[in-house]
Amino acid sequence: MSMPEAGRIRVDTQGAVATLVIDNPDRRNAIGLHMWHAMAQALDELSADTNIRALVIRGEGSRAFASGADISRFDQERSEPAGVQAYAEATRSVLHRIARSRLPVIAMIHGACVGGGLNLALACDIRISDEHAVFAIPAAKLGVGYGREALARLAAAVGPARAREMVVSARRLEASQALAWGLVSDVVPHVALADVVTERAQMLAGLAPLTIMAAKLSVEHVLLGDPAMAEAADLAVDACFASDDYVEGRRAFGEKRAPVFDGR
């Protein structure tokens, strides 16, 4: 009888904000192949739910946001070329869903944010950590090859020279250094982390969804140079100016009140 796969993905919702939880605390929230597939499904369901307007991603427990790939499963999942390719595609599909989502996404980071966990955080729009968080890409200690898209996101955050240093040295960054390098936007006390992230997510949920979508697609094009992203971003910008939300934004400004956007 095969053992059940460790780890799961769960989603909690509160009003217009959803929280996607990487739930594998016994392995510091390491992510196995089945968890990447579950994340893709959860992200599709959240994207289709028009009541959800912002997303938070976090790890279960206090030890880690996500410690990367589940190395204990490498022999099963990534020992042959076909498995390596399948794992890479599953990972890439999740990162694309996050980076190109209509939802603004916040990574709520505590503890270890390492390897594939850091890739996940880099695909998010905002990264907020507590003072105990640590960041690293230990690929050079494992013999793992790192993909172009992951390194493009890292280089965009910290600059090419520092991205090279992080990868070739497997250097570990404390939260204060990650803030100085631009890897995270804010570092807050652990006791305040949940409240700060919740407040930020609720603020994002009230902003114009079409504008957020257009901005995210444009950034994706700048990062990856994908011509399809350029066309999609241009169409998304045009959709903003043709939307009811654009009318509402102008009207609310003139009436000196908060706008109420519905994404149309």
Side-chain angles (χ1 to χ4, degrees):
M1 180 182 297
S2 62
M3 295 294 291
E5 295 175 313
R8 63 177 182 140
I9 299 298
R10 73 171 200 271
V11 175
D12 303 325
T13 60
Q14 184 173 7
V17 177
T19 301
L20 186 151
V21 183
I22 305 159
D23 189 354
N24 193 11
D26 290 344
R27 295 189 180 276
R28 299 173 73 210
N29 296 324
I31 307 172
L33 180 61
H34 68 290
M35 295 173 70
W36 288 112
H37 288 316
M39 259 192 276
Q41 181 178 343
L43 289 165
D44 285 345
E45 292 171 358
L46 289 168
S47 182
D49 185 347
T50 56
N51 293 315
I52 301 301
R53 297 280 293 273
L55 174 64
V56 174
I57 298 178
R58 69 170 180 86
E60 177 63 27
S62 60
R63 297 175 63 202
F65 171 77
S67 61
D70 189 343
I71 299 172
S72 71
R73 302 187 64 84
F74 272 20
D75 285 346
Q76 298 168 263
E77 297 177 350
R78 303 174 77 180
S79 62
E80 301 293 336
V84 169
Q85 182 65 25
Y87 191 95
E89 287 297 330
T91 303
R92 190 180 299 115
S93 73
V94 167
L95 302 186
H96 283 182
R97 282 171 165 82
I98 293 169
R100 303 171 188 184
S101 169
R102 68 173 182 83
L103 300 171
V105 186
I106 301 175
M108 174 179 157
I109 303 169
H110 52 82
C113 182
V114 175
L118 182 51
N119 287 350
L120 187 65
L122 285 166
C124 298
D125 303 302
I126 299 171
R127 292 172 291 282
I128 302 174
S129 84
D130 71 7
E131 72 271 43
H132 305 303
V134 293
F135 304 82
I137 296 178
K141 294 181 177 180
L142 298 168
V144 174
Y146 235 68
R148 287 177 290 128
E149 288 190 9
L151 291 180
R153 297 188 199 285
L154 178 64
V158 304
R162 285 170 169 166
R164 286 193 184 101
E165 181 179 350
M166 285 189 70
V167 176
V168 303
S169 69
R171 176 175 176 171
R172 168 176 155 156
L173 299 183
E174 304 294 333
S176 59
Q177 190 69 59
L179 179 64
W181 280 22
L183 198 56
V184 297
S185 58
D186 298 278
V187 175
V188 302
H190 178 74
V191 294
L193 180 62
D195 288 341
V196 169
V197 169
T198 297
E199 182 179 357
R200 187 76 60 88
Q202 290 172 343
M203 180 273 291
L204 294 173
L207 299 179
L210 297 178
T211 300
I212 290 169
M213 180 68 162
K216 293 182 66 161
L217 293 176
S218 293
V219 170
E220 274 291 274
H221 170 61
V222 170
L223 285 179
L224 306 180
D226 183 347
M229 283 294 97
E231 182 178 2
D234 289 345
L235 290 172
V237 169
D238 291 343
C240 290
F241 289 108
S243 70
D244 292 341
D245 279 355
Y246 180 47
V247 175
E248 166 63 7
R250 302 195 320 270
R251 180 179 295 131
F253 180 83
E255 296 173 356
K256 295 182 173 56
R257 60 172 174 82
V260 178
F261 297 116
D262 63 9
R264 293 184 297 174

